[in-house]
Every structure is written in structure tokens, then in C-alpha cells.
Amino acid sequence: MKVRRGPRSGLPVVVAIHSRALGPAAGGIRLRRYPDWRDGLADALRLSEAMTAKNAAAGLDFGGGKSVIAVEPGVELTPSLREAALLDVGELIESFGGTYFGGPDVGTGPDDMVVVRRSTSRVFCLPPEHGGTGSSSIPTALGVFAAVRAGARHVFGSPDLAGRTVVISGLGSVGALVARHVASAGARVVVSDVDSSKRDSGYEWVDPEKALRTPADIVVPAAVGGVLSPELVPELAAPLVVGPANNQLTADAVADELAARGIVWVPDFIASAGGAVYTLLREVEGLDEAAANARVEAIGATVSAVLDGARDNGTTPLREARRLVEARLASQRAFES
Ligand code: PHE
């Protein structure tokens, strides 16, 4: 891991590598406000670990890493400061010499990757006119939709979402696309976001502090992580929780509490893998769009396997998903020895 104050921006930039057991580390570049830069550092560490699990469980030959640009309180993020910070993080990424590749994440998009590329070539998801495959939010949302349907099949006996109430907490680049998918599938969609200007998105609205507690068939955490806490679990009013937010649980033990209450939770690192799957298979492995999308859709089968395994073995989806990760890492170790 490397942390420094960007020489151009003065902002703290972090690149954290958690594992390279399966290949070079890959994970997005998060640009977010934090109360303290050390919160950004802690976030990068947790998020890089989640990327190891995500890439391993999805069968990708990549390890886990993440970058964070921490915007501190009182700092106004002007366009020129943003550009400087992206050049700074690119320079830090370049210093890893190809053992870590970045891409977009919360707070960044394909156009930002064009700026990052001025400092390093180790960056995915450039816009198509710059030679990349563009936004990873589109395949991430497609994978979440597959996970939602697989979860519905497990919990309700049918993947059909017609007439189901789906609450989406967080109408960012992924959440908004998930809303569109489930609405097209005939669900009643209720949304929330900390940005109240998104109220007129055309969907029913619930205030963000109430979103996860809203009675529903399915709750979709699509904002930042750390939302499923021991305090929240007893107040959940939905039998199925599945969404793209990374690191949804405040601690692993929350998975046991969810299971004890009969709430089915799809591990985030399984449900959110679509962006990584699509981007890495297309940009590195050279798969065409249809083949890469088929691999994204296959997230549904992984979700079914994890949920059925938890039910049949009397464990939790988290334990089953972790087993998948461990098996992948162990097979690599066996291969190496
Ligand atoms: N940042 C996204 C994620 O957390 C997508 C992404 C993955 C982007 C890997 C680049 C590389 O999965």
C-alpha cells in the first residue's frame, strides 16, 4: 500500500493492494469526501480486500486492490483540483509497475480515466473513443439484476419481479440502472438517495434514513457500505437483501444475524462483480461483448449456488461465498507448487 499527499493536488491519495495471488490487482479509484483522510485509508484497505474476494469468486485471474482520493472537510473540489488529484493517483498507480490496475468507482467515471491515463496506462474503462469499454456501471447493474432475480427465485420460488416491491437505496450510476432494470421487469420501485434532487427521478421516493427499513420484497443497498449493522438487522422489513454496494456488513457476524432472522442476504462481492467481470474479460482477455455479458449473467448461477449451499449446509451465504473464494485461491496455490 502507498499513501501520499498528491504533489499536484495536495489531497491524500491511497493505492491499496490486498492480494496478487491470482494475478495483478484490479479495482476502482474512489473519489469521495471523508471526515478524516485516515477514514479514506481504512476504506481503501477494506475495499481492496473486497476486490480480492470479488475477482476470485468471479473466476477472474486478478487480485484485489483499490485506490482512494480522500477529499477532506472544507476542501472545495474544483474541476482543476479534481484533475490534479486524478493525475496524482495515476502517478501513484504507475509506481506499482503493472501490479495494480485502476478503473472507475464511486465518484469517478470513464472521462476521469482519460485524465488518469495521462499519468499511467494501467487503467480500465476508458470511453470507447479512447479505446476502452466505457462505464463499468452498465455491466455492474446487469449483474445485480441477475443476482436479484436469482435471489427472488430462491426466496419466492420465481425470478419474476412483476408486482414485487423493490427498494433501491442509492440512485448513483449503478443504482439508477438497477432501478431501470427492475422497473422494466414490472416491479414497484421505491428509491432513495442522500441527494434529494433525485426525488424527481420518476420513482416512488423514501427518505434515505428510512430506505433500508421500508417494508418490501427486496431491498437493494446501492450506496456506500457499512449499512447492515446489528442495530439495523432487527428493523429490516424485507426477506431478501441484494445489491451492489461494497462492504455492506459492518462486521461478518451480521451475516449470522441476518440468517437467524430468516433474511436472505446475497454477499456483495458476488452481486457486484459484473463491472469487474465485463471490463477485465473484454479489455484483458479480449472477449467480445456477448461473451462478456454471458459471464456477467452467470452471476445469477453463482448466487443460486451460494444461497442453495447455505440452505443445504445450514450455513450462511457469506460462508458459502467465502468458501468459493478460498477454493479458488487454494487451487492457485496447488497450481504454483
Ligand atoms: N469499481 C468497480 C468495482 O468495485 C468496477 C471495477 C472493477 C473497475 C475492476 C475496474 C476494475 O467492482
Side-chain angles (χ1 to χ4, degrees), residues 26-28 51 54 66 102-105 124-125 136 140 246 272 275-276 279-280:
M51 284 309 304
K54 188 183 299 197
K66 206 88 174 189
D105 195 72
F124 296 130
C125 302
S136 59
T140 301
N246 287 306
S272 68
T279 302
L280 301 178

Side-chain angles (χ1 to χ4, degrees), residues 102-116:
D105 195 72
V106 171
T108 61
D111 291 338
D112 296 314
M113 299 307 111
V114 178
V115 180
V116 174

Side-chain angles (χ1 to χ4, degrees), residues 15-202:
V15 175
I17 294 182
H18 176 261
S19 167
R20 289 190 283 109
L22 297 173
I29 303 164
R30 183 164 293 204
L31 191 161
R32 223 194 121 188
R33 233 169 238 292
Y34 292 92
D36 187 296
W37 69 268
R38 277 161 291 215
D39 299 313
L41 171 65
D43 212 16
L45 292 171
R46 283 190 299 266
L47 289 163
S48 67
E49 184 171 0
M51 284 309 304
T52 299
K54 188 183 299 197
N55 291 335
L60 300 168
D61 294 326
F62 281 87
K66 206 88 174 189
S67 302
V68 164
I69 299 167
V71 184
E72 295 163 296
V75 171
E76 194 201 340
L77 191 67
T78 60
S80 60
L81 183 60
R82 184 185 180 89
E83 177 175 337
L86 290 165
L87 292 171
D88 285 338
V89 80
E91 188 176 86
L92 196 56
I93 291 169
E94 184 60 23
S95 76
F96 283 85
T99 59
Y100 165 78
F101 288 78
D105 195 72
V106 171
T108 61
D111 291 338
D112 296 314
M113 299 307 111
V114 178
V115 180
V116 174
R117 210 228 339 226
R118 281 158 49 196
S119 297
T120 181
S121 61
R122 330 282 190 184
V123 60
F124 296 130
C125 302
L126 290 157
E129 62 272 24
H130 288 269
T133 56
S135 167
S136 59
S137 301
I138 297 164
T140 301
L142 194 66
V144 172
F145 184 51
V148 167
R149 285 169 48 82
R153 185 202 302 273
H154 183 88
V155 173
F156 308 116
S158 164
D160 189 3
L161 301 178
R164 299 245 169 249
T165 298
V166 182
V167 174
I168 299 175
S169 176
L171 219 49
S173 54
V174 177
L177 294 173
V178 174
R180 214 190 286 171
H181 282 302
V182 296
S184 322
R188 173 186 161 223
V189 181
V190 182
V191 301
S192 86
D193 198 279
V194 288
D195 175 359
S196 56
S197 73
K198 293 187 177 167
R199 247 175 198 281
D200 39 16
S201 59

